[in-house]
Amino acid sequence: MEQNQNKAMPNMASPQLTAPKIAPKPPKIHKIYPITVRDLIFFALFAVGAFLTRQLGIVCGLHLGYSTSYIFLFAVTAVYIGTQKITADRFTTACGALSLAAAVSMTFTDDSLFMFFGVCLTCLFYILFVDGLTGSGKKSFCSVSIISQLFYSSFAMTLQNFLTPWRSLAKSKKSGKKGIEILIGVVACIPVAAVMIVLLASADDAYASLVEKITTHFFSFIVSLFFAALIFVFLLPYIFAHKNAESKDRVLRFKRKLPAGVSCAFLACLCFVYISYLFSQLAYFFSAFRGLLPSGYTFSYAQYARQGFFEMCAITALNFIILCFIAAKSKRSKGGGIPKSVKALCCAVCLFCAIFDFTAMSKMALYIRCFGLTRLRLLTALFMVMILFLAALYVIHLFRPKFSYMKTAVIIAGCAVLLVSFVNVDAVIAKYNISAYESGQIEELDVGYLDSLSDAAIPYLAELCSSDNTVISDAAKHALMNDYKKSKAKEKSVFEFCLTSYRADKALQKHSKELDEYIAAYEASAQNFADPYSGETADIYDYENQTQYYDETSSQYYETTEHYNYT
């Protein structure tokens, strides 16, 4: 029996010997796309667009040069990608038009805030336009999934295909070999060309002068090429990937497990809190509509209006976060929609948002009537109007789930920002405050605040130079003194043109006589001192009298015999 077992043992297979072998990991295959002569032409055009963006757009101050360079880049993109068999829908067309409008708005304003908004809107609508031309985002653009789609389209997709155009270019039979040959020829010619340039410059003075002028601006030119190359390196993979790679729709999928009972109970409690608050504070809320403070109310107009506004903004923001969460996570009914009870309570919360918004707007209107306009007051009023639009879109989406509320919200928000940018907030503020002061609506005019605004306020501030009120007139002249000196000294290129600055310069030239007289009198009344130890002339100071002067650097008064001698 033992012999039989021993004979059977060699026939038993070992588990280690019979285990299947793990197949080696296949090598990563890089995507290669064919490069045509048309692609090479557009590669060169995109390189020119990147250089124009750097040289005309960024260096020239984000004004006319920025608008010009973006229009060129937009046209090249539209022709290069738009030849595909995809018809641009209305949203894509609107995004393209808004991106162009955002770029053009930079020529109309020198307000740093709205210039920042202009750059952001240009990039946002450009990405949406490119995605629309390639067929991406048809579903994700209709909801909050637009955030995921924008991130994937602008960053993830670009990084995944970062080396794809360069690999395709190197593997191309038509361009790869020729490109390497051209590169070798250019590199080999550099030292020979350098020797020839030195010899030619020594032989002729005119050529030497030309070389000197070129080398003077050579460093700035190299810097411009470097930054243009950075723009091109990121721009080309983005465009090339969208033209050739497979388009994807990044639609977010939410796990809708929130029971309707929980949602209804939560929203009902929230509505009860709002009803009790409105009932107990009825006088506080609706007295603002009558333009009077509540009886016995000890706060000032500013405290009354400001307190109500920030409270309402905080409540409205929290309400929208809650409503969006409930709409995304609530369980659907048998018909596939949000239960009617949840819809009703969501509409009730939106109604409270509208009430809070109208209350805050009435408080802000009271604040503006009493104290005039500022940037913060005007922009917050516009923000409250946007809240009403968002509440209306949310209610429509509740009853019509297929309604593309996100597309509508993006278009409305973009149009609102661009409209404010073209109208120019600072011009509106200066015009309103001066008009309110002249009509007696506000008691004081803060000329210093108007001077702190952008150049859009200068034409209205310049009109005060001829005012009958000498205090206001002198204050306006003093505020415009530095702006007037800069406008006479500065020289701008064509691509630095800004309509707001142009109007400001024209207004200053119109009142040049009053400003020249004021500056001459101001400088004549100042005293010039010299440091006896350094022998250098000191800055000009304002004097209280002949024996004392005020040093603007140290913010202190000094006797005329102390530290400085009169010259």
Side-chain angles (χ1 to χ4, degrees), residues 272-290:
F272 177 77
V273 172
Y274 293 156
I275 292 172
S276 63
Y277 184 75
L278 287 175
F279 180 77
S280 63
Q281 300 292 323
L282 190 62
Y284 173 80
F285 271 97
F286 294 100
S287 61
F289 286 96
R290 298 193 298 269

Side-chain angles (χ1 to χ4, degrees), residues 368-372 432 435-443:
I368 291 171
R369 285 199 303 270
C370 295
F371 298 99
Y432 176 86
S435 177
Y437 176 75
E438 291 176 347
S439 64
Q441 181 178 329
I442 57 177
E443 298 178 357

Side-chain angles (χ1 to χ4, degrees), residues 175-440:
S175 60
K177 187 176 180 180
K178 291 183 179 179
I180 294 174
E181 292 174 353
I182 293 172
L183 182 61
I184 292 173
V186 171
V187 173
C189 182
I190 289 176
V192 178
V195 174
M196 295 299 180
I197 289 172
V198 172
L199 293 175
L200 290 172
S202 302
D204 186 75
D205 292 336
Y207 188 74
S209 177
L210 176 63
V211 172
E212 184 180 357
K213 291 179 180 179
I214 293 174
T215 54
T216 302
H217 303 284
F218 181 73
F219 179 74
S220 60
F221 179 73
I222 292 299
V223 172
S224 298
L225 283 181
F226 174 75
F227 284 102
L230 289 179
I231 297 173
F232 177 71
V233 162
F234 285 94
L235 177 65
L236 184 61
Y238 172 76
I239 298 296
F240 192 78
H242 279 77
K243 183 180 182 297
N244 295 283
E246 182 181 356
S247 60
K248 294 182 181 180
D249 224 351
R250 310 288 291 188
V251 180
L252 298 176
R253 303 294 182 184
F254 297 101
K255 295 181 179 180
R256 294 162 177 168
K257 295 183 178 181
L258 186 65
V262 175
S263 301
C264 290
F266 182 87
L267 293 174
C269 292
L270 198 62
C271 290
F272 177 77
V273 172
Y274 293 156
I275 292 172
S276 63
Y277 184 75
L278 287 175
F279 180 77
S280 63
Q281 300 292 323
L282 190 62
Y284 173 80
F285 271 97
F286 294 100
S287 61
F289 286 96
R290 298 193 298 269
L292 299 173
L293 288 170
S295 59
Y297 202 72
T298 57
F299 289 154
S300 65
Y301 279 115
Q303 291 172 317
Y304 173 67
R306 185 182 301 172
Q307 182 183 14
F309 167 74
F310 286 111
E311 287 176 351
M312 297 306 106
C313 281
I315 291 172
T316 304
L318 290 174
N319 281 337
F320 269 106
I321 293 173
I322 293 169
L323 291 174
C324 291
F325 178 81
I326 289 177
K329 303 293 287 186
S330 292
K331 283 184 176 180
R332 293 326 190 229
S333 60
K334 294 181 179 180
I338 299 175
K340 293 182 179 180
S341 57
V342 178
K343 287 183 181 179
L345 288 170
C346 286
C347 291
V349 174
C350 286
L351 177 62
F352 283 116
C353 286
I355 294 173
F356 296 154
D357 202 20
F358 277 117
T359 304
M361 290 173 66
S362 67
K363 289 176 179 288
M364 186 56 65
L366 172 64
Y367 197 8
I368 291 171
R369 285 199 303 270
C370 295
F371 298 99
L373 270 176
T374 63
R375 288 173 63 89
L376 181 61
R377 296 166 197 170
L378 183 58
L379 293 178
T380 49
L382 295 174
F383 172 76
M384 288 184 283
V385 174
M386 286 300 304
I387 291 294
L388 288 177
F389 276 107
L390 291 177
L393 292 176
Y394 183 86
V395 173
I396 294 173
H397 175 66
L398 284 178
F399 294 95
R400 294 186 62 186
K402 293 183 178 180
F403 173 67
S404 302
Y405 67 94
M406 187 55 68
K407 288 184 178 180
T408 308
V410 169
I411 296 298
I412 290 176
C415 290
V417 174
L418 291 176
L419 178 62
V420 174
S421 180
F422 278 108
V423 170
N424 218 317
V425 171
D426 291 348
V428 174
I429 293 170
K431 183 178 180 180
Y432 176 86
N433 287 351
I434 293 173
S435 177
Y437 176 75
E438 291 176 347
S439 64

